[in-house]
Amino acid sequence: MLRFFALLLLAAGLPVANAAGPAAPADTVTNFHAVLFDNMKHPGSCKDRMQRLTPAIDNTFDMPFLAQHVLRRQWATLSDAQKTEFTATLKDMVVTTYASQFTKFNGEKFVTQDTQENGKMRSVKAQLQLPQGDPVQFEYVLRETPAGWRTINVIAEGVSDLALRSAQYDKIFKDQGFDGLLKQIREQTEKLKSSC
C-alpha cells in the first residue's frame, strides 16, 4: 500500500452537497476513500472495480490539470488531439492502478484529518490505518474547479506524486517522444490489467 501511495497518483465518488453549500475539500477525499473501501470489501472482478472507480476518479482528480502539469513544458508542444489522448491514457492508468491495488479488505481504515488553506489551494491530510504497523501518512492537494474541489497532487510520506511522475515522464518524452511515452504508459496499464 505504501509503495502505491508513494509512486502513484495518484482514485459513492460524488461530492456530497449539503444545506451549508457545496462540498468541502475534505468531502472529496472522504468520498473517494469510501469507493476504495467499498472495492476492498466487495471487490468483484477487476472490471467491476474499474467501473466503480471511473466516476470516482472524475470526482476526485482534476485529470486535465494533472495531464498538463505532469508533462510540464512538453505540454505546449502537443496538438489538441494529443493532449486529449494523453489525458485519457493517464486516466486509464490511474483507474487501473487503484483497481489493481485495492482488491481485498484486511482491516484497513481510511481517516480524513484536518484541512489547511494555502492560497487558493487546500491540503487535506489523511491516514491509511493498517491492522499492523504504523499508519501511512499522506495528503491531497486540491484546487477549486467549476465542478468542485479536485485533487492535483498526492503526497505520501513526504513524496510528491506529481513531482515524481513529472521527472519520469519528462525523461521518457525527451528520449522517446510523445508516442514512446504513450506506449510505455499503455504497456504499464495493460500489465496491471492482466494481473488485476
Side-chain angles (χ1 to χ4, degrees), residues 55-84:
I57 294 296
D58 288 333
N59 290 313
T60 304
F61 295 95
D62 187 344
M63 292 307 301
F65 180 98
L66 285 168
Q68 178 178 351
H69 286 78
V70 81
L71 287 186
R72 299 184 293 190
R73 56 188 168 274
Q74 308 290 358
W75 184 258
T77 69
L78 303 181
S79 67
D80 288 345
Q82 287 175 319
K83 290 175 181 177
T84 299

Side-chain angles (χ1 to χ4, degrees), residues 5-55:
F5 278 116
L7 298 178
L8 241 26
L9 262 174
L10 339 206
L14 296 173
V16 178
N18 54 47
D27 295 328
T28 300
V29 173
T30 299
N31 291 335
F32 183 56
H33 288 168
V35 177
L36 295 179
F37 188 72
D38 184 56
N39 268 357
M40 293 163 70
K41 295 204 77 172
H42 310 97
S45 67
C46 184
K47 183 177 179 181
D48 292 335
R49 295 193 298 277
M50 290 182 69
Q51 286 179 338
R52 289 192 291 263
L53 278 164
T54 297

Side-chain angles (χ1 to χ4, degrees), residues 105-148:
F105 177 68
N106 292 311
E108 297 88 349
K109 181 180 180 182
F110 292 101
V111 178
T112 305
Q113 300 176 314
D114 61 304
T115 301
Q116 296 180 344
E117 186 174 335
N118 183 12
K120 294 183 178 180
M121 306 295 183
R122 299 293 184 273
S123 175
V124 178
K125 293 187 177 179
Q127 281 187 347
L128 175 60
Q129 297 179 350
L130 307 174
Q132 296 181 346
D134 296 331
V136 179
Q137 306 285 346
F138 59 102
E139 64 181 283
Y140 293 79
V141 180
L142 303 96
R143 73 176 192 134
E144 193 169 19
T145 75

Side-chain angles (χ1 to χ4, degrees), residues 167-177 180-182 184:
Q168 177 189 7
Y169 286 4
D170 187 60
K171 183 178 187 309
I172 297 171
F173 194 106
K174 287 176 179 176
D175 292 343
Q176 303 177 33
L181 175 59
L182 278 189
Q184 285 212 22

